[in-house]
Amino acid sequence: KESYLAVDCERVNLGKQGKICLVQIACYSSKTLFLFDLESKTRELVIKCLKVVLEDQKIQKVFHDSRSDCESLLFHLNIN
């Protein structure tokens, strides 16, 4: 139901050599923050959920300095 989301990724090391550990998504209208733990036992399910949301072209994603976040999402999680 959101028209835009704020997204931030936390990594160990940057770029292709590092790995994403946590993805944070904030929803402005509901004032809700979601934390996606990529070190959890449900990693594959978390990645599938993130892929659905982050690849939805109807939702605008807002990043700050997105180059390394987007590179990591694509390279490590196959999320475009």
Side-chain angles (χ1 to χ4, degrees), residues 24-40:
Q24 305 166 77
I25 297 179
C27 304
Y28 178 76
S29 66
S30 63
K31 296 183 178 26
T32 306
L33 176 67
F34 295 93
L35 301 175
F36 295 88
D37 181 2
L38 294 170
E39 296 295 311
S40 70

Side-chain angles (χ1 to χ4, degrees), residues 10-63:
E10 302 300 332
R11 294 169 300 286
V12 175
N13 299 322
L14 294 176
K16 294 180 181 178
Q17 301 305 319
K19 70 177 187 175
I20 297 177
C21 301
L22 183 74
V23 176
Q24 305 166 77
I25 297 179
C27 304
Y28 178 76
S29 66
S30 63
K31 296 183 178 26
T32 306
L33 176 67
F34 295 93
L35 301 175
F36 295 88
D37 181 2
L38 294 170
E39 296 295 311
S40 70
K41 293 179 183 178
T42 59
R43 176 182 170 84
E44 294 307 314
L45 178 61
V46 170
I47 292 170
K48 285 180 185 179
C49 293
L50 283 171
K51 187 170 183 72
V52 168
V53 172
L54 294 177
E55 290 185 348
D56 186 332
Q57 294 184 6
K58 296 175 191 154
I59 304 171
Q60 183 177 5
K61 279 61 116 197
V62 180
F63 288 82

Side-chain angles (χ1 to χ4, degrees), residues 20 55 68-80:
I20 297 177
E55 290 185 348
S68 60
D69 285 351
C70 291
E71 180 182 64
S72 294
L73 287 167
L74 180 60
F75 185 76
H76 296 290
L77 306 180
N78 196 30
I79 296 174
N80 193 5

